[in-house]
Amino acid sequence: MVTAALILILACPLFIIISMMIWWSDGWPIIFCQKRIGLHQKPFFMFKFRTMVKNADQLKAKLWSHNQAPWPMFKLDYDPRFIKFGKFLSKTGLDELPQLFNILKGEMSLIGPRPLPVNEVKQLPSSWNFRHLVRPGVFSEWTLASERHHSLTKWKRLDRRTLQRGGISYDLNLAKQTAQKIIHSLLAHN
C-alpha cells in the first residue's frame, strides 16, 4: 500500500493530463468502473481510465463475431470502441493507474492475476479458482506476455507462475519489467 500511495503522489500530474485528454476527447465520465471478482471470489469495483465510448458494453454484443480472444474472454486488436486517446492509454497501460486506489482500499495488489469481470468468471471452470486465493494485481506475467489473449491454457499457466514465483525479488523484477514495457510503449508512440 505504501508503494501504491507513493506512485499515486508522483503520478498526480499524469492523472490530471490523462483526465483532461479523456474529457476533451469524449467528455465525462473520466473513470470507468466495472465489477470484478477478487480475493475469495468477493466482487469489487475496479477503476480504470475510460478508454472506450460510453456505450462500449452495448456495442460488445455486436462485435462478438470478431472476438480474437478465447471464449469467454473478449479482445479485438483494432477495437472500434476506443475513443481518440483510448488505444494509446490501453497499449501503454496508463489506463490502469486508477487501480492504485483499489490497492489503497485493500482490494488489489501491484502484482497478481488480473481480476476478471463477473460474467467471465462465471463461465470459467472451477480449475481457475486458484486465482482467487490472492488479491488480484495490476500487473502479472500475463500482462507482460505479447500473445496473452491467444490461449486460455497459456493464460492459466502464466497466472499460476505468477502465484508460484511470488516473493519480494520476483515482484520487484516483474515491476521493473512492467515499467520497461510501459516506457517502451510510450517511446514507440512518439
Side-chain angles (χ1 to χ4, degrees):
M1 285 191 187
V2 175
T3 306
L6 182 60
I7 295 170
L8 198 52
I9 291 166
L10 294 174
C12 272
L14 204 49
F15 268 81
I16 294 167
I17 292 167
I18 292 171
S19 296
M20 290 174 63
M21 287 168 54
I22 295 168
W23 176 77
W24 178 74
S25 143
D26 201 55
W28 303 103
I30 303 297
I31 302 293
F32 172 73
C33 298
Q34 186 179 52
K35 192 181 275 190
R36 301 280 178 118
I37 300 297
L39 179 64
H40 305 307
Q41 297 187 340
K42 183 181 175 185
F44 70 99
F45 283 97
M46 188 186 81
F47 308 125
K48 292 179 78 167
F49 279 120
R50 185 169 65 86
T51 59
M52 296 191 173
V53 293
K54 294 166 195 165
N55 64 338
D57 280 341
Q58 289 81 20
L59 295 174
K60 184 177 178 179
K62 297 177 182 177
L63 297 169
W64 261 105
S65 60
H66 304 290
N67 184 23
Q68 295 171 304
W71 182 89
M73 306 341 182
F74 183 83
K75 181 72 176 175
L76 294 174
D77 286 336
Y78 300 98
D79 200 317
R81 300 173 300 161
F82 278 118
I83 59 174
K84 187 171 185 178
F85 301 105
K87 182 73 174 174
F88 166 77
L89 293 173
S90 179
K91 184 118 176 118
T92 57
L94 292 173
D95 62 328
E96 312 290 358
L97 280 173
Q99 285 158 45
L100 293 167
F101 290 106
N102 289 114
I103 294 172
L104 293 178
K105 289 174 69 181
E107 298 164 332
M108 292 181 69
S109 63
L110 276 175
I111 307 296
R114 290 292 297 153
L116 295 174
V118 175
N119 61 329
E120 290 182 8
V121 171
K122 286 180 181 177
Q123 305 293 334
L124 290 169
S126 60
S127 62
W128 282 73
N129 288 348
F130 71 92
R131 305 173 89 255
H132 308 299
L133 298 174
V134 296
R135 282 189 184 91
V138 180
F139 307 110
S140 67
E141 289 210 19
W142 177 80
T143 60
L144 290 172
S146 58
E147 297 180 350
R148 62 183 174 266
H149 294 103
H150 294 186
S151 160
L152 279 182
T153 304
K154 182 176 182 179
W155 190 331
K156 188 191 245 184
R157 188 175 66 247
L158 291 170
D159 278 352
R160 278 195 190 278
R161 200 160 65 191
T162 297
L163 294 182
Q164 291 165 349
R165 293 184 178 175
I168 294 174
S169 61
Y170 171 81
D171 289 358
L172 288 173
N173 186 48
L174 200 59
K176 177 184 163 193
Q177 289 179 54
T178 301
Q180 289 171 337
K181 182 179 178 182
I182 291 169
I183 291 167
H184 182 266
S185 294
L186 286 169
L187 294 175
H189 277 87
N190 288 338

